[in-house]
Amino acid sequence: VEVPAEAVSIISVRVEFQATTYSPWAYVTPVFQVLAPPVITRPGTQWTPYPTLRGTGVTGAQVDLLPLFQDGVRPPLGTAQVRGGTWSITIGSLIGQGVHVVYARQTLGGETSGSSNWVSFVVLLKPMITGVSVSVGGVPSVAGGGALVGATIEIFFVGGGGGVQLTTVQSGVTWEATATRAWAAGSYRIVARQREPLTGAYSDWSDEKIVNVAPAPPGLNNPGLVTVARPILSGSGVSGAMIAIYQRGFNVPFAATIVQQSSWSVLLTRDLWSADPLILEARQAVNGMTSVSAPVSFTVLLVPVITEVTVLADGRPMVSGRGLSGATIEVFHTGGAGGLQLSATVQAQGTW
């Protein structure tokens, strides 16, 4: 006689004859049937802090899910009623990342089964990227948290292009990784994942983070004393980048050019003026990112301007003009004959 799984014991039997006639009950020595353990379906890698485990059991039984190798007597990780031969339990307490081993028992009619098969699974959460920094030379560093102790952190461009960009093995829940080389100037979208060291399982991807890598600052050579309004300036930069020359603190360029083979030179297209000092800077743009050179200070000493000549009543000439504030103006006959004729100091407003 095949005994149904939900039967716990047999204490008596009788014979049915022609569907309506029964023999008397024959009481027998009880035959006990042991309640079989439930079965846990292998859950694999879990990407949530509250994983759900599933399995099979005897309909109507209560299944208890228990941790293996847990010291002391503690409540189960979860319980469920078997319905239609299957059950599922979502672990409501935070069990932490890593490898976990569990087993299950089921209870029906006051009888509790033995333990099920042991099942191991990995809880592996996506890591967090908490900060990004880039050195002056264009080498990015990425910091984060949420790592499993001993896991490997891998950082990719979104979409996986370029393969692993950064990797580090951590001994704590926080982590930091630095690229082994400088990245080209530009804006990058990155994500991170972690790999569990025992099983090789991978976590889900982290949230995206933007890494902005500015080009290395361009170089602007100091031209020294400038005596023309539109000098040629030169410097260094990233090949293919746009270089524009500005007065420091202002946004109207004097000239612009493209870097060729890491160097550039340009004839200014807007006049300078006499100044001591005049402070200029070079601004470099490439792939939507910009960088600025160190400021360069130099003196611009242009030809003074004579704006007016008048003759006083006593016959003495008076010459007026514009020049560099604080400079000494010397007036000569054309060709210099007769030596110095007049001199004056340029006033603060640039007139003399």
Side-chain angles (χ1 to χ4, degrees), residues 40 43 46 48-54 64-68 70 75-80 87-96 100-103 119 121-123:
I40 303 175
Q46 299 291 305
T48 169
Y50 305 103
T52 297
L53 276 68
R54 295 176 172 82
D64 294 325
L65 185 66
L66 300 141
L68 190 64
Q70 189 176 68
L77 297 172
T79 62
W87 56 269
S88 67
I89 294 174
T90 298
I91 299 175
S93 57
L94 191 63
I95 59 176
H100 298 272
V101 182
V102 296
Y103 65 96
V119 170
F121 62 94
V122 178
V123 174

Side-chain angles (χ1 to χ4, degrees), residues 14-351:
R14 68 179 180 180
V15 177
E16 180 183 1
F17 180 67
Q18 293 182 350
T20 57
T21 305
Y22 300 93
S23 71
W25 286 107
Y27 293 93
V28 299
T29 301
V31 177
F32 294 98
Q33 177 169 296
V34 177
L35 184 61
V39 175
I40 303 175
T41 303
R42 295 190 177 276
T45 302
Q46 299 291 305
W47 293 347
T48 169
Y50 305 103
T52 297
L53 276 68
R54 295 176 172 82
T56 59
V58 176
T59 298
Q62 175 181 293
V63 172
D64 294 325
L65 185 66
L66 300 141
L68 190 64
F69 306 133
Q70 189 176 68
D71 295 334
V73 178
R74 297 189 181 181
L77 297 172
T79 62
Q81 197 80 15
V82 181
R83 302 180 185 279
T86 63
W87 56 269
S88 67
I89 294 174
T90 298
I91 299 175
S93 57
L94 191 63
I95 59 176
Q97 296 192 81
V99 178
H100 298 272
V101 182
V102 296
Y103 65 96
R105 291 194 295 248
Q106 61 181 336
T107 301
L108 179 65
E111 182 179 354
T112 300
S113 73
S115 299
S116 72
N117 53 316
W118 296 353
V119 170
S120 63
F121 62 94
V122 178
V123 174
L124 200 57
L125 307 180
K126 64 182 182 182
M128 299 176 293
I129 299 176
T130 57
V132 174
S133 62
V134 181
S135 71
V136 175
V139 178
S141 294
V142 182
L148 171 67
V149 174
T152 298
I153 300 294
E154 297 177 343
I155 298 176
F156 290 75
F157 296 136
V158 171
V164 178
Q165 296 302 311
L166 303 159
T167 179
T168 185
V169 178
Q170 294 302 319
S171 58
V173 296
T174 60
W175 52 272
E176 183 173 355
T178 300
T180 57
R181 57 175 177 78
W183 289 4
S187 184
Y188 301 87
R189 294 159 55 216
I190 61 170
V191 288
R193 69 180 181 181
Q194 59 176 326
R195 187 175 73 244
E196 200 277 326
L198 298 179
T199 65
Y202 285 99
S203 72
D204 198 359
W205 295 106
S206 71
D207 295 336
E208 292 183 15
K209 201 75 171 179
I210 302 296
V211 180
N212 292 318
V213 179
L220 173 58
N221 298 328
N222 194 317
L225 177 64
V226 172
T227 58
V228 295
R230 296 188 180 186
I232 294 176
L233 299 182
S234 63
S236 59
V238 177
S239 295
M242 171 71 75
I243 294 287
I245 308 300
Y246 293 84
Q247 183 183 7
R248 190 179 188 188
F250 295 86
N251 292 313
V252 179
F254 288 98
T257 188
I258 300 297
V259 180
Q260 302 288 341
Q261 296 182 346
S262 302
S263 63
W264 58 269
S265 64
V266 64
L267 174 67
L268 300 194
T269 56
R270 191 162 67 90
D271 287 348
L272 300 180
W273 54 91
S274 292
D276 186 21
L278 182 64
I279 303 176
L280 298 184
E281 64 185 20
R283 301 179 191 176
Q284 179 174 237
V286 57
N287 294 334
M289 305 300 297
T290 60
S291 59
V292 182
S293 72
V296 170
S297 301
F298 57 95
T299 299
V300 180
L301 192 61
L302 304 181
V303 174
V305 176
I306 298 175
T307 58
E308 186 180 12
V309 177
T310 59
V311 179
L312 302 181
D314 58 6
R316 290 179 300 155
M318 184 173 69
V319 183
S320 302
R322 299 190 303 273
L324 173 63
S325 176
T328 299
I329 298 294
E330 298 176 337
V331 179
F332 293 81
H333 292 309
T334 299
L340 177 65
Q341 300 297 310
L342 300 169
S343 68
T345 299
V346 181
Q347 300 175 21
Q349 66 270 30
T351 60

